Amino acid sequence: MSDKKTPHARGIDTEAIRAAARNVDDGAVTAGYPPERKEIIALLNAALATELVCVLRYTRHYFTVSGLINRPIKAEFLKHAQEEQDHADLLADRIIQLNGEPDFNPATLMDRSHAEYDDSRSINAMIRANLIAERVAIEAYRQMITTIGEDDPTTRQMLVGIMAKEEEHAEEMRDLLA
Ligand SMILES: [Fe+2]
Ligand SMILES: [Fe+2]
């Protein structure tokens, strides 16, 4: 290599980075963020709707299940409801960081969600509905991760983490079904 730049400095134009960084209104979104920002926010809002529907479904299942023998199942439903809420919080927070608007509108929630609500009466049917919803969520996250690719590593990493949790949830529901 003939150029005298150190490996650290190579390829990084500090002056250009500093000039662009003065655009402080954009917060965490810097000059190099890909032009697909709005599409990424739309993906995150669909995931947010999915998580909110999952919170409602698991919460209803938690309150509906009764009986001493069903306590472990009830506890599992509650844990999942809380973890889906954690996912919703992460997604809403990331949408804000990307200068988007998290959509919590209940009137359009079902249309925007990938997974479905469930009002089954039997515990088996509830577990089955949850397992299907988890499988829907896993697949939706997989496709989102592929779509985002290398465009936004932070969002990608967050989605990978959420998807890993959904895989755990699916496994736990399949265990309960057995
Ligand atoms: Fe989730
Ligand atoms: Fe889940």
Side-chain angles (χ1 to χ4, degrees):
M1 283 269 178
S2 58
D3 75 309
K4 295 268 163 47
K5 281 181 180 173
T6 63
H8 179 71
R10 194 180 294 149
I12 297 200
D13 183 345
T14 306
E15 277 315 305
I17 291 174
R18 285 182 181 172
R22 288 180 195 118
N23 216 352
V24 291
D25 285 347
D26 286 345
V29 178
T30 54
Y33 195 89
E36 294 80 12
R37 188 179 59 89
K38 288 206 167 120
E39 285 92 319
I40 291 173
I41 288 167
L43 288 178
L44 295 177
N45 259 319
L48 174 61
T50 303
E51 296 294 349
L52 294 172
V53 167
C54 290
V55 171
L56 295 172
R57 193 188 60 253
Y58 273 121
T59 303
R60 177 195 167 265
H61 288 177
Y62 163 69
F63 281 110
T64 308
V65 169
S66 62
L68 200 60
I69 197 170
N70 295 319
R71 273 204 186 159
I73 295 174
K74 200 174 164 73
E76 199 72 16
F77 287 167
L78 178 62
K79 184 183 73 128
H80 283 208
Q82 290 162 341
E83 287 170 349
E84 309 302 13
Q85 183 65 57
D86 293 343
H87 297 163
D89 293 349
L90 283 171
L91 290 158
D93 200 37
R94 185 63 185 156
I95 292 168
I96 292 290
Q97 280 179 359
L98 295 177
N99 300 328
E101 288 184 23
D103 190 346
F104 287 87
N105 187 348
T108 57
L109 206 52
M110 291 302 301
D111 288 340
R112 296 182 295 110
S113 166
H114 301 124
E116 293 174 279
Y117 185 70
D118 172 74
D119 52 12
S120 302
R121 305 297 281 270
S122 88
I123 297 182
N124 245 35
M126 291 180 201
I127 297 168
R128 197 176 179 80
N130 289 329
L131 178 50
I132 292 170
E134 294 295 351
R135 288 171 50 78
V136 167
I138 292 165
E139 196 51 35
Y141 280 118
R142 187 190 310 287
Q143 292 184 16
M144 275 182 248
I145 290 162
T146 304
T147 302
I148 288 171
E150 295 308 313
D151 278 349
D152 180 341
T154 311
T155 297
R156 183 192 166 92
Q157 194 176 8
M158 179 191 74
L159 295 177
V160 169
I162 296 176
M163 179 176 157
K165 206 70 190 166
E166 309 305 5
E167 288 173 337
E168 270 181 46
H169 287 173
E171 179 55 24
E172 284 160 352
M173 285 299 119
R174 190 177 64 174
D175 263 10
L176 290 181
L177 205 55

